[in-house]
Amino acid sequence: MGYIVAYLVAIVSLYSLFLKMNYWSTGYLMGWIIGLYFLRGLFESWEWSIHMLIRILYLAKKLKRKIFG
């Protein structure tokens, strides 16, 4: 039961973090992705994959917006 509550808190915090990403610079976002890569041993493999996928998709969206206006 505690694991489920902790996971739900993690999802909510990830969502709130995602809302703040609009104000991050590209360099800061790259640093966050690299840091998450080095911390991969602290997450379950599926959980780490979800976190990494979200950040990479957001980085691609941000780069697309910078390149194509």
Side-chain angles (χ1 to χ4, degrees):
M1 181 65 177
Y3 182 74
I4 294 171
V5 171
Y7 182 69
L8 290 175
V9 168
I11 292 296
V12 169
S13 66
L14 180 63
Y15 178 72
S16 66
L17 180 68
F18 188 69
L19 292 177
K20 305 287 184 209
M21 283 182 175
N22 288 330
Y23 306 106
W24 290 6
S25 68
T26 306
Y28 187 84
L29 186 58
M30 286 296 297
W32 187 259
I33 291 172
I34 292 168
L36 183 64
Y37 175 77
F38 286 124
L39 294 173
R40 68 188 178 275
L42 300 176
F43 294 94
E44 297 282 336
S45 62
W46 62 271
E47 188 177 18
W48 182 82
S49 300
I50 290 171
H51 285 266
M52 189 60 85
L53 178 66
I54 288 171
R55 283 163 178 83
I56 289 174
L57 288 174
Y58 188 76
L59 178 64
K61 176 183 167 186
K62 191 170 192 80
L63 290 174
K64 180 182 172 189
R65 199 175 337 139
K66 277 191 172 197
I67 293 171
F68 299 111

